[in-house]
Amino acid sequence: MLPILSAQETEKIKRRLMERANTDYSQQQKIVDEILQDIRENGNRALFSYIRKFDGFDVNEKNLLVTEAELEEAFRMVEPELLAIMREAAVNIEEFHKRQRRENWFIEQDGKYIGQLYIPVEYAGVYVPGGKAAYPSSVLMNIIPAKCAGVKNIFVATPAQGGKIDPVTVAAAKIAGAHRIYKMGGAQAIAAFAYGTESIPCMDKITGPGNIYVALAKKSVYGQAGIDMIAGPSEVLILADETANERFIAADFLSQAEHDELAACVLVTVSEQKAHEVRTEILRQAETLPKKEIVMKSLENYGTIIVADTIEQAVEAANHIAPEHLEICTGDPQALLPKIQNAGSIFLGEFAPEPLGDYFAGTNHVLPTNGTARFSSPLNVDDFQKKSSVIYYSREEFEKVYRKVQTFAKAEGLEAHARSAAIRFED
Amino acid sequence: MLPILSAQETEKIKRRLMERANTDYSQQQKIVDEILQDIRENGNRALFSYIRKFDGFDVNEKNLLVTEAELEEAFRMVEPELLAIMREAAVNIEEFHKRQRRENWFIEQDGKYIGQLYIPVEYAGVYVPGGKAAYPSSVLMNIIPAKCAGVKNIFVATPAQGGKIDPVTVAAAKIAGAHRIYKMGGAQAIAAFAYGTESIPCMDKITGPGNIYVALAKKSVYGQAGIDMIAGPSEVLILADETANERFIAADFLSQAEHDELAACVLVTVSEQKAHEVRTEILRQAETLPKKEIVMKSLENYGTIIVADTIEQAVEAANHIAPEHLEICTGDPQALLPKIQNAGSIFLGEFAPEPLGDYFAGTNHVLPTNGTARFSSPLNVDDFQKKSSVIYYSREEFEKVYRKVQTFAKAEGLEAHARSAAIRFED
């Protein structure tokens, strides 16, 4: 457990982490395909029958939606302290995501302009899993970017066992700015969002985490609606030098490991002594964790310590692995920032542990996992809007260039394109 | 052919257009899967054997890359007039896409900050199809956004029959700013880009159009690398009132129809008289087109004219269809712009026909097709970079809020998360 390896092993470690995503889900895919087709063809009738079957809830067109009374009841049931913290976190998240907005712009010259518009999607559907543990932080993280993008219809879907909603989930959704909450879950909820039913409009974008059925359904409906990334097993990489505090690092390591047996924790350090100290601390602290069993499996399978010769080599290893979370615990963490090429979220110094970003600081905790930080981004406002290009040319301006358009089109063998340019100046 | 329908039929028309994308490619997928696995496992050896088989080109590690001498030769072979036009178009495209760049930003307060970095991908692979027709405009449109994003390694793959490159393609790639050009095509090129071989580094992002094998390969490697959208059959929707010029509209209609039998052209007008005039013009102009056969099939299958009662209804129909290209040919096109919800690229007025955007104005012609403009965007600089979040808190700042993080984590049942916050203040 927790082998201490050299930086030469980085590629092997990376491959091992990426293998976490290789599972054959063809059995589950078949079930999902049936549900999707059924709801696409039969709308509410099919949706309601799945809800009755899976959630034991005698649903109809009226009780499908969470009511104002249920909402008020939910707020009464949640601890006031937790409500206050969720509200404060929501403010921080909103402040960060507002900064991601962009203004329409135009490049204007004489009688012509080209430009770009940013238009929010009309309908965003946010999925919130049910089950034993509720993750209200994830509700905030999915809804607030949509709200900041200017989406007018943010609709939540969450399963309600026996028709009973989870009060914390519902309160978080309302705090974040959801406009409606549907009591539905699983692949059937994704199908209803993608295709619409008599009671539910088609969503343009569907986001949010879920079990494998939800993930497969999202993948399948892509094209019919936009989706966020499909979250894979998550990971943290901690970059540390000899100045780092081994107790803090060990605690952060373990906070990642408790998520999931597939969660991966990697320490990259330039100090062999620190490597050993952290290792000892991890094993010591793990002893008293309630989720010790999950933690130990994660550590056994994917917990890794790399000792690099130089800090440059350590950074290279981090960039190669492209972690979801990157903690930089070195004497001067800011100095390394310009060298970071691939990381979802970067935590600088000893007082910015991953949970600060998970819950409170304002950045998004929906992050690219499993090496996809090489090319993808945290969930953000851009995910809930699209760009449109605009072109305007006056007659005079187009007259100056239409022959070039014509020549280019002919060079590509597209005569009708050439004529479309030329016909404007034929009489 | 070219039925004149009411706006009530819009949903039916939309469904018909969307059905264009429903083809069963499971046979081709099997072939692609084999190629991908082979190259993943056997690298160059597999890649070279496919190149020999499909392109009849006796490839090796040295002649896989287009040389400087071949490049110079290519530039000599292309018409100087076309070269000049491509260079001018490239300048326009660059000017537009430079404006899409964003600066890193931070929200700083007391001893803490959060922020967002924009980091270009390290390796972008651009696919350029071979075959009879070369589309140098598409080469410009794919490479220049990567260049503007700051990508340091823009590598092109294009098949070379018998080892011979297409001079126009190669010249366009060089003008646009490609750093290397590999003589490889098909699913095998996508596999080499995604997994890397002894001669080719792993790409982080792969873009560019291609045949069905290329498209399926891109879909399959997604996750291993990022990809652009999978382009579906394309379409234009022209919004016209009684002031529009029926000859111009007809020509634009036909320029779309010549692309492909699956291309769709829709006219939405508030004038029944204009509908008939345009219809007559389309049929008249189609007679003399070299691609008449393709054009007539596209018109027969998907050519549609909608007569709306009001301009509002017409706009609603356009938004519902969410076309790739939207031409607004009304008395005051700018006035309608704020009402447009879904469109890839918007052409205003009678002197901004679609080919102006395809070739010259500077906006991108790689656009969301087949209704996906509801949630996706033209190819742009964001496609070649990713965002990373940054969080820094001083000890004092984290001390003020760590109990909130702790409480939130405990509410989600994540004890190790809570401890990661608390351990910082335990002594």
Side-chain angles (χ1 to χ4, degrees), chain A residues 88 100 102 113 116 120 137 203-204 224 252 255 258-259 288 334 341-344 346 348 350 359 374 377-378 382 386-389 391 404 412 416-417 419-420 424, chain B residues 88 99-100 102 113 116 120 137 203-204 224 252 255 258-259 288 334 341-344 346 348 350 359 374 377-378 382 386-389 391 404 412 416-417 419-420 424:
Chain A
E88 199 178 338
Q100 297 177 331
R102 290 189 279 181
Y113 57 79
Q116 193 164 280
S137 61
M203 297 295 117
D204 299 306
Q224 177 70 37
D252 298 355
S255 82
E258 79 173 333
H259 271 301
T288 58
Q334 279 86 352
Q341 167 69 30
N342 303 315
I346 304 166
L348 298 176
E350 298 208 310
Y359 289 113
R374 280 164 49 229
S377 304
D382 291 347
K386 57 265 161 80
K387 296 139 199 154
S388 292
S389 312
I391 304 179
K404 295 171 188 172
E412 293 192 350
H417 281 63
R419 289 195 195 172
S420 147
R424 264 86 181 164
Chain B
E88 198 177 338
R99 276 285 265 127
Q100 295 177 333
R102 289 189 279 181
Y113 57 80
Q116 194 165 280
S137 61
M203 298 294 119
D204 300 306
Q224 177 70 35
D252 297 354
S255 81
E258 80 173 332
H259 272 300
T288 58
Q334 279 85 350
Q341 168 68 31
N342 304 315
I346 305 166
L348 298 176
E350 298 208 311
Y359 290 113
R374 280 164 49 229
S377 304
D382 291 347
K386 58 268 160 77
K387 296 140 200 153
S388 293
S389 312
I391 305 179
K404 295 172 187 172
E412 292 192 350
H417 281 64
R419 290 193 195 175
S420 148
R424 265 88 181 160

XYZ file of all heavy atoms in Angstrom, chain A residues 88 100 102 113 116 120 137 203-204 224 252 255 258-259 288 334 341-344 346 348 350 359 374 377-378 382 386-389 391 404 412 416-417 419-420 424, chain B residues 88 99-100 102 113 116 120 137 203-204 224 252 255 258-259 288 334 341-344 346 348 350 359 374 377-378 382 386-389 391 404 412 416-417 419-420 424:
673
model
N -24.454 31.367 2.391
C -23.183 32.079 2.250
C -22.339 31.459 1.127
O -21.741 32.185 0.318
C -22.421 32.028 3.583
C -21.345 33.090 3.667
C -20.611 33.072 5.014
O -21.161 32.552 6.014
O -19.473 33.567 5.056
N -17.594 35.053 -14.904
C -17.373 34.267 -16.125
C -18.242 34.744 -17.283
O -18.030 34.347 -18.422
C -17.678 32.788 -15.854
C -16.759 32.169 -14.823
C -17.117 30.739 -14.526
O -18.276 30.345 -14.632
N -16.126 29.954 -14.152
N -19.817 36.888 -20.302
C -19.199 37.757 -21.302
C -20.241 38.613 -22.000
O -21.396 38.236 -22.114
C -18.443 36.908 -22.309
C -17.205 36.306 -21.661
C -16.317 35.642 -22.649
N -16.803 34.306 -22.950
C -16.186 33.492 -23.788
N -15.106 33.880 -24.410
N -16.659 32.274 -24.011
N -19.949 44.773 -40.107
C -19.496 44.309 -38.797
C -19.651 42.801 -38.676
O -20.476 42.187 -39.356
C -20.194 45.035 -37.646
C -21.702 44.971 -37.621
C -22.354 43.837 -37.140
C -22.475 46.051 -38.024
C -23.739 43.790 -37.073
C -23.860 46.011 -37.971
C -24.490 44.878 -37.497
O -25.855 44.824 -37.443
N -20.077 38.526 -31.987
C -20.439 37.300 -31.288
C -21.451 37.587 -30.185
O -21.269 38.506 -29.399
C -19.177 36.672 -30.688
C -19.414 35.253 -30.221
C -18.106 34.512 -29.999
O -17.452 34.026 -30.912
N -17.720 34.421 -28.755
N -28.048 32.582 -23.398
C -28.276 31.450 -22.486
C -29.212 30.420 -23.125
O -30.067 30.773 -23.931
C -28.950 32.087 -21.265
C -29.420 33.430 -21.704
C -28.568 33.854 -22.861
N -24.177 20.507 -1.691
C -23.142 21.343 -2.311
C -23.159 21.159 -3.822
O -22.990 22.108 -4.588
C -21.759 20.994 -1.748
O -21.424 19.648 -2.017
N -35.473 19.901 -22.396
C -34.337 20.687 -21.917
C -33.329 20.856 -23.062
O -33.141 19.957 -23.878
C -33.642 19.968 -20.761
C -34.503 19.765 -19.525
S -34.981 21.324 -18.715
C -36.759 21.228 -18.908
N -32.665 22.010 -23.064
C -31.587 22.213 -24.037
C -30.277 21.649 -23.501
O -29.431 21.206 -24.261
C -31.425 23.709 -24.317
C -32.691 24.301 -24.896
O -33.177 23.765 -25.912
O -33.225 25.272 -24.323
N -29.546 15.318 -28.738
C -30.924 15.750 -28.509
C -30.899 16.924 -27.529
O -31.645 17.887 -27.663
C -31.698 14.559 -27.930
C -33.122 14.841 -27.559
C -33.971 15.060 -28.788
O -33.784 14.423 -29.812
N -34.911 15.997 -28.687
N -5.798 15.707 3.727
C -6.359 16.029 2.409
C -6.408 14.789 1.523
O -7.378 14.567 0.785
C -5.526 17.120 1.719
C -5.527 18.418 2.521
O -6.236 18.487 3.543
O -4.812 19.351 2.131
N -9.333 12.832 2.584
C -10.640 13.412 2.246
C -11.013 13.031 0.807
O -12.178 12.855 0.472
C -10.658 14.923 2.456
O -10.105 15.604 1.362
N -12.031 9.079 0.804
C -13.308 8.629 1.379
C -14.467 8.697 0.381
O -15.536 8.163 0.632
C -13.658 9.415 2.651
C -14.246 10.800 2.414
C -14.737 11.475 3.706
O -15.104 10.777 4.657
O -14.740 12.723 3.730
N -14.241 9.342 -0.781
C -15.326 9.483 -1.753
C -15.778 8.145 -2.301
O -16.968 7.918 -2.535
C -14.875 10.335 -2.948
C -15.108 11.797 -2.738
N -16.345 12.308 -2.492
C -14.258 12.855 -2.741
C -16.246 13.631 -2.354
N -14.992 13.982 -2.496
N -9.077 6.130 12.308
C -10.256 6.581 13.052
C -11.367 7.124 12.151
O -12.309 7.736 12.638
C -9.851 7.700 14.035
O -9.267 8.761 13.277
C -8.848 7.193 15.062
N 2.646 30.086 -5.346
C 2.317 30.987 -6.452
C 3.352 30.908 -7.572
O 3.021 31.041 -8.744
C 2.211 32.449 -5.967
C 0.888 32.812 -5.319
C 0.837 32.479 -3.834
O 1.748 31.828 -3.306
N -0.225 32.906 -3.161
N 0.068 23.121 -16.407
C -0.551 22.996 -17.723
C -1.933 22.336 -17.619
O -2.872 22.760 -18.277
C 0.385 22.170 -18.632
C -0.206 21.675 -19.934
C -0.474 22.797 -20.923
O 0.196 23.816 -20.948
N -1.516 22.628 -21.751
N -2.060 21.313 -16.793
C -3.299 20.536 -16.761
C -3.765 20.282 -15.333
O -3.160 19.503 -14.612
C -3.097 19.160 -17.424
C -2.595 19.256 -18.850
O -3.086 20.062 -19.641
N -1.618 18.434 -19.194
N -4.858 20.916 -14.929
C -5.451 20.655 -13.613
C -6.826 21.295 -13.593
O -6.999 22.407 -14.085
C -4.590 21.235 -12.501
N -7.807 20.604 -13.024
C -9.164 21.165 -12.954
C -9.215 22.345 -12.016
O -9.584 23.452 -12.397
N -6.959 24.321 -8.793
C -5.621 24.413 -8.202
C -5.729 25.081 -6.841
O -6.283 26.180 -6.731
C -4.687 25.226 -9.126
C -4.655 24.602 -10.531
C -3.281 25.300 -8.539
C -4.043 25.505 -11.587
N -3.748 26.573 -3.637
C -2.416 27.094 -3.341
C -2.176 27.199 -1.848
O -2.928 27.877 -1.134
C -2.249 28.477 -3.973
C -2.348 28.561 -5.504
C -2.259 30.014 -5.956
C -1.261 27.733 -6.168
N -1.055 25.947 2.235
C -1.516 24.999 3.244
C -2.896 25.310 3.788
O -3.463 24.512 4.513
C -0.520 24.997 4.397
C 0.844 24.553 3.944
C 1.628 23.916 5.055
O 1.707 24.523 6.140
O 2.151 22.802 4.834
N -16.808 23.177 -0.962
C -17.977 23.684 -0.249
C -18.171 25.175 -0.240
O -19.282 25.643 -0.089
C -17.902 23.229 1.220
C -18.131 21.760 1.380
C -17.134 20.906 1.811
C -19.377 21.219 1.063
C -17.354 19.550 1.927
C -19.608 19.859 1.176
C -18.598 19.035 1.615
O -18.825 17.695 1.707
N -6.743 17.774 -19.312
C -5.908 18.143 -20.461
C -6.689 18.973 -21.465
O -6.116 19.774 -22.211
C -5.399 16.890 -21.174
C -4.206 16.236 -20.494
C -3.993 14.823 -21.005
N -3.992 14.732 -22.428
C -4.705 13.840 -23.146
N -5.484 12.949 -22.556
N -4.636 13.827 -24.446
N -12.818 21.549 -18.750
C -12.836 22.635 -17.774
C -13.822 22.350 -16.657
O -14.742 21.550 -16.829
C -13.271 23.930 -18.471
O -12.440 24.218 -19.563
N -13.661 23.025 -15.530
C -14.707 22.992 -14.501
C -16.043 23.430 -15.092
O -16.067 24.205 -16.049
C -14.219 24.025 -13.479
C -12.751 24.176 -13.711
C -12.543 23.918 -15.180
N -20.196 29.170 -19.377
C -20.198 28.811 -20.801
C -21.000 27.535 -21.066
O -21.507 27.345 -22.172
C -18.769 28.548 -21.309
C -17.938 29.817 -21.361
O -18.507 30.909 -21.253
O -16.706 29.697 -21.509
N -24.671 29.564 -25.323
C -23.962 29.248 -26.546
C -23.617 30.555 -27.219
O -24.209 31.587 -26.924
C -24.785 28.354 -27.481
C -26.123 28.956 -27.861
C -27.231 28.451 -26.941
C -28.436 29.376 -27.002
N -29.270 29.164 -28.155
N -22.666 30.474 -28.132
C -22.278 31.649 -28.901
C -22.985 31.594 -30.253
O -23.198 30.509 -30.800
C -20.764 31.634 -29.120
C -19.978 31.745 -27.829
C -18.784 30.834 -27.786
C -18.316 30.627 -26.361
N -17.602 29.357 -26.159
N -23.341 32.740 -30.766
C -23.790 32.833 -32.157
C -22.954 33.896 -32.842
O -22.678 34.937 -32.248
C -25.267 33.234 -32.233
O -26.095 32.214 -31.738
N -22.537 33.637 -34.071
C -21.824 34.648 -34.838
C -22.826 35.531 -35.568
O -23.920 35.086 -35.907
C -20.935 34.007 -35.899
O -20.183 32.976 -35.339
N -22.952 38.432 -38.894
C -22.255 39.112 -39.990
C -23.201 40.107 -40.649
O -24.332 39.758 -40.998
C -21.818 38.116 -41.091
C -20.956 37.006 -40.498
C -21.067 38.836 -42.210
C -20.516 35.975 -41.528
N -13.784 37.776 -54.521
C -12.889 36.876 -53.787
C -13.671 35.672 -53.264
O -13.195 34.533 -53.309
C -12.202 37.621 -52.640
C -11.279 38.720 -53.145
C -10.753 39.605 -52.023
C -9.994 40.784 -52.623
N -9.615 41.781 -51.626
N -13.188 25.504 -54.658
C -13.677 24.322 -53.933
C -14.744 23.569 -54.722
O -15.362 22.635 -54.212
C -14.207 24.730 -52.551
C -13.115 25.229 -51.618
C -13.555 25.365 -50.165
O -14.777 25.263 -49.888
O -12.681 25.573 -49.303
N -22.681 26.903 -56.870
C -23.860 27.617 -56.352
C -23.449 28.631 -55.286
O -24.074 29.684 -55.144
C -24.890 26.635 -55.798
N -22.380 28.308 -54.542
C -21.844 29.286 -53.586
C -21.326 30.519 -54.341
O -21.583 31.656 -53.938
C -20.694 28.681 -52.770
C -21.131 27.788 -51.645
N -21.828 26.625 -51.847
C -20.961 27.890 -50.301
C -22.057 26.046 -50.669
N -21.552 26.794 -49.719
N -22.222 31.586 -57.234
C -23.338 32.358 -57.819
C -24.080 33.167 -56.769
O -24.601 34.247 -57.059
C -24.310 31.407 -58.516
C -23.720 30.830 -59.784
C -24.784 30.195 -60.634
N -24.158 29.347 -61.641
C -24.824 28.533 -62.453
N -26.151 28.450 -62.375
N -24.185 27.806 -63.337
N -24.179 32.616 -55.556
C -24.876 33.346 -54.494
C -24.174 34.680 -54.233
O -24.825 35.700 -53.958
C -24.936 32.476 -53.231
O -24.881 33.255 -52.061
N -25.741 39.075 -56.600
C -26.041 40.379 -55.995
C -25.621 41.546 -56.884
O -26.079 42.675 -56.675
C -25.296 40.504 -54.664
C -26.089 40.144 -53.416
C -26.092 38.703 -53.057
N -26.908 38.504 -51.858
C -27.359 37.320 -51.467
N -27.107 36.230 -52.174
N -28.110 37.222 -50.393
N -5.824 36.620 -47.229
C -6.692 37.702 -46.746
C -7.788 37.133 -45.837
O -8.093 37.693 -44.779
C -7.300 38.445 -47.948
C -7.841 39.805 -47.567
C -8.391 40.588 -48.766
O -8.012 40.292 -49.921
O -9.225 41.485 -48.524
N -10.332 38.069 -30.838
C -11.246 38.755 -29.925
C -11.905 37.784 -28.952
O -12.510 38.191 -27.966
C -12.323 39.492 -30.726
C -11.906 40.835 -31.215
C -11.897 41.877 -30.082
N -13.151 42.619 -30.049
C -13.906 42.751 -28.982
N -13.567 42.177 -27.851
N -15.019 43.446 -29.034
N -11.840 36.494 -29.240
C -12.460 35.506 -28.352
C -11.578 35.143 -27.169
O -12.031 34.496 -26.233
C -12.772 34.232 -29.145
C -13.806 34.453 -30.230
C -14.044 33.206 -31.056
O -13.175 32.361 -31.194
N -15.236 33.095 -31.612
N -9.511 35.235 -23.745
C -9.794 35.861 -22.458
C -8.545 35.911 -21.593
O -7.659 35.080 -21.705
C -10.906 35.092 -21.753
C -12.228 35.344 -22.459
C -13.365 34.785 -21.691
N -13.502 33.359 -21.919
C -14.458 32.626 -21.359
N -15.320 33.194 -20.531
N -14.558 31.342 -21.617
N -7.701 34.859 -2.490
C -8.205 35.115 -3.839
C -8.675 33.822 -4.492
O -8.237 32.726 -4.148
C -7.176 35.842 -4.717
C -5.832 35.176 -4.887
C -5.665 34.133 -5.791
C -4.725 35.615 -4.177
C -4.418 33.536 -5.964
C -3.476 35.024 -4.345
C -3.338 33.980 -5.237
O -2.121 33.386 -5.404
N -9.510 32.410 -12.270
C -9.646 31.476 -13.386
C -8.513 31.689 -14.385
O -8.239 32.808 -14.786
C -10.994 31.672 -14.066
C -11.328 30.540 -15.000
C -12.801 30.534 -15.384
O -13.666 30.071 -14.649
N -13.080 31.051 -16.540
N -4.054 27.129 -23.005
C -4.245 26.399 -24.271
C -3.887 24.926 -24.110
O -3.030 24.583 -23.297
C -3.269 27.086 -25.232
C -2.330 27.875 -24.387
C -3.017 28.170 -23.097
N -10.863 26.189 -47.205
C -11.509 27.101 -46.248
C -11.674 26.402 -44.906
O -11.510 27.005 -43.845
C -12.861 27.577 -46.788
O -13.740 26.484 -46.978
N -2.495 13.743 -28.996
C -3.161 15.041 -29.078
C -4.096 15.199 -27.873
O -4.709 14.237 -27.411
C -4.005 15.144 -30.349
C -3.190 15.036 -31.638
S -2.060 16.423 -31.871
C -0.507 15.552 -31.871
N -4.227 16.431 -27.394
C -5.196 16.709 -26.333
C -6.573 16.978 -26.927
O -7.596 16.674 -26.317
C -4.744 17.938 -25.540
C -3.385 17.715 -24.893
O -3.246 16.709 -24.167
O -2.463 18.512 -25.140
N -10.294 10.124 -24.232
C -8.848 9.986 -24.402
C -8.283 11.318 -24.889
O -7.229 11.771 -24.470
C -8.593 8.871 -25.421
C -7.162 8.641 -25.775
C -6.401 8.039 -24.606
O -6.937 7.247 -23.843
N -5.152 8.440 -24.446
N -29.108 31.665 -52.486
C -28.565 31.238 -51.192
C -29.098 29.854 -50.816
O -28.379 29.016 -50.266
C -28.928 32.253 -50.107
C -28.312 33.625 -50.391
O -27.534 33.743 -51.353
O -28.623 34.572 -49.651
N -27.151 27.375 -52.709
C -25.756 27.198 -52.291
C -25.699 26.227 -51.115
O -24.724 25.487 -50.949
C -25.096 28.537 -51.953
O -25.418 28.967 -50.663
N -26.412 22.487 -52.583
C -25.394 21.788 -53.378
C -24.402 21.007 -52.515
O -23.636 20.198 -53.019
C -24.643 22.755 -54.306
C -23.556 23.569 -53.652
C -22.727 24.392 -54.657
O -22.594 23.992 -55.826
O -22.228 25.469 -54.246
N -24.413 21.225 -51.192
C -23.455 20.548 -50.314
C -23.641 19.040 -50.306
O -22.680 18.281 -50.252
C -23.596 21.035 -48.865
C -22.769 22.248 -48.563
N -21.422 22.250 -48.683
C -23.110 23.501 -48.147
C -20.952 23.452 -48.353
N -21.960 24.225 -48.034
N -29.412 25.276 -64.121
C -28.090 25.427 -64.750
C -26.925 25.104 -63.809
O -25.776 25.397 -64.105
C -27.908 26.881 -65.249
O -28.063 27.757 -64.116
C -28.948 27.239 -66.294
N -31.532 44.037 -38.292
C -30.952 44.266 -36.967
C -32.014 44.238 -35.870
O -31.741 43.795 -34.755
C -30.214 45.613 -36.897
C -28.805 45.602 -37.474
C -28.768 45.823 -38.984
O -29.821 45.811 -39.630
N -27.580 45.998 -39.545
N -32.949 33.254 -30.633
C -32.541 32.427 -29.494
C -31.535 31.351 -29.922
O -30.574 31.095 -29.219
C -33.801 31.792 -28.871
C -33.565 30.680 -27.866
C -32.921 31.170 -26.569
O -33.138 32.307 -26.139
N -32.092 30.331 -25.951
N -31.786 30.721 -31.069
C -30.975 29.570 -31.470
C -30.548 29.669 -32.936
O -31.370 29.520 -33.834
C -31.783 28.265 -31.316
C -32.322 28.051 -29.909
O -31.609 28.246 -28.937
N -33.578 27.669 -29.802
N -29.264 29.891 -33.174
C -28.730 29.879 -34.539
C -27.218 29.858 -34.444
O -26.643 30.554 -33.600
C -29.190 31.114 -35.323
N -26.567 29.081 -35.298
C -25.106 29.011 -35.261
C -24.478 30.303 -35.730
O -23.715 30.946 -35.018
N -25.458 34.027 -37.875
C -26.587 34.856 -38.282
C -26.110 35.855 -39.334
O -25.144 36.593 -39.097
C -27.179 35.609 -37.072
C -27.547 34.603 -35.958
C -28.385 36.441 -37.480
C -27.829 35.244 -34.608
N -27.040 39.048 -41.639
C -28.013 40.142 -41.621
C -28.074 40.866 -42.958
O -27.059 41.386 -43.434
C -27.647 41.144 -40.531
C -27.637 40.628 -39.083
C -27.148 41.725 -38.137
C -29.021 40.153 -38.663
N -29.284 41.695 -47.101
C -29.184 41.061 -48.416
C -27.765 40.941 -48.923
O -27.516 40.266 -49.913
C -29.996 41.876 -49.414
C -31.452 41.894 -49.044
C -32.336 42.075 -50.247
O -32.061 43.006 -51.036
O -33.284 41.287 -50.388
N -16.389 31.716 -46.357
C -15.066 31.919 -46.937
C -14.271 33.100 -46.420
O -13.066 33.100 -46.489
C -15.190 32.082 -48.457
C -15.580 30.819 -49.138
C -16.811 30.684 -49.760
C -14.713 29.730 -49.114
C -17.170 29.490 -50.369
C -15.070 28.536 -49.721
C -16.299 28.424 -50.344
O -16.646 27.243 -50.926
N -29.190 24.933 -30.344
C -29.897 25.196 -29.077
C -28.923 25.217 -27.905
O -29.171 25.873 -26.897
C -30.944 24.113 -28.807
C -32.238 24.289 -29.578
C -33.055 23.001 -29.571
N -33.199 22.420 -28.264
C -32.959 21.124 -27.971
N -32.577 20.280 -28.915
N -33.116 20.684 -26.753
N -22.071 25.775 -30.018
C -21.526 27.021 -30.551
C -20.662 26.768 -31.767
O -20.170 25.659 -31.972
C -20.655 27.686 -29.478
O -21.384 27.893 -28.299
N -20.433 27.801 -32.553
C -19.429 27.707 -33.618
C -18.082 27.315 -33.022
O -17.816 27.623 -31.853
C -19.361 29.133 -34.167
C -20.650 29.773 -33.777
C -21.075 29.122 -32.502
N -12.276 28.922 -27.347
C -12.532 28.115 -26.136
C -12.345 26.623 -26.392
O -12.056 25.863 -25.467
C -13.971 28.310 -25.637
C -14.214 29.697 -25.085
O -13.230 30.424 -24.850
O -15.385 30.062 -24.899
N -8.524 25.292 -21.990
C -9.389 24.890 -20.906
C -9.219 25.892 -19.792
O -8.229 26.625 -19.745
C -9.093 23.475 -20.413
C -7.677 23.269 -19.947
C -6.796 22.766 -21.090
C -5.336 23.016 -20.811
N -4.732 22.100 -19.879
N -10.194 25.909 -18.903
C -10.123 26.790 -17.738
C -9.605 25.974 -16.558
O -9.905 24.785 -16.443
C -11.512 27.321 -17.425
C -12.068 28.200 -18.531
C -13.540 27.962 -18.794
C -13.919 28.468 -20.166
N -15.085 27.748 -20.723
N -8.857 26.607 -15.697
C -8.516 26.015 -14.402
C -8.892 27.022 -13.334
O -8.660 28.218 -13.500
C -7.024 25.720 -14.304
O -6.659 24.704 -15.200
N -9.470 26.533 -12.238
C -9.756 27.414 -11.106
C -8.551 27.478 -10.188
O -7.772 26.535 -10.109
C -10.927 26.883 -10.278
O -11.997 26.538 -11.104
N -7.496 28.707 -6.093
C -7.936 29.174 -4.768
C -6.715 29.391 -3.888
O -5.871 28.511 -3.773
C -8.829 28.135 -4.056
C -10.020 27.758 -4.924
C -9.289 28.662 -2.688
C -10.915 26.718 -4.290
N -17.342 26.458 8.987
C -18.464 26.330 8.044
C -18.212 25.178 7.072
O -19.114 24.398 6.754
C -18.671 27.646 7.287
C -19.110 28.769 8.215
C -19.126 30.122 7.519
C -19.402 31.224 8.556
N -19.238 32.561 7.996
N -22.963 16.348 4.843
C -22.948 15.417 3.710
C -22.352 14.068 4.106
O -22.132 13.211 3.247
C -22.178 16.031 2.535
C -22.900 17.218 1.914
C -22.312 17.658 0.569
O -21.237 17.166 0.194
O -22.956 18.488 -0.110
N -13.950 12.825 6.652
C -12.541 13.123 6.333
C -12.413 14.518 5.725
O -11.393 15.199 5.914
C -11.967 12.062 5.385
N -13.446 14.954 4.994
C -13.454 16.328 4.488
C -13.474 17.315 5.661
O -12.744 18.305 5.666
C -14.686 16.577 3.607
C -14.557 16.030 2.219
N -14.431 14.693 1.951
C -14.553 16.649 1.003
C -14.351 14.506 0.640
N -14.419 15.678 0.041
N -12.441 16.826 8.682
C -11.170 16.809 9.405
C -10.073 17.547 8.650
O -9.191 18.157 9.256
C -10.723 15.365 9.654
C -11.610 14.675 10.671
C -10.976 13.390 11.146
N -11.977 12.584 11.835
C -11.756 11.356 12.276
N -10.577 10.784 12.082
N -12.707 10.686 12.893
N -10.111 17.462 7.327
C -9.099 18.165 6.531
C -9.160 19.667 6.814
O -8.127 20.350 6.864
C -9.306 17.862 5.041
O -8.941 18.952 4.235
N -6.125 21.879 10.450
C -5.257 23.060 10.326
C -5.211 23.898 11.599
O -4.314 24.735 11.747
C -5.766 23.952 9.187
C -5.095 23.719 7.832
C -5.693 22.700 6.972
N -4.909 22.585 5.731
C -4.937 21.540 4.945
N -5.678 20.483 5.247
N -4.201 21.520 3.855
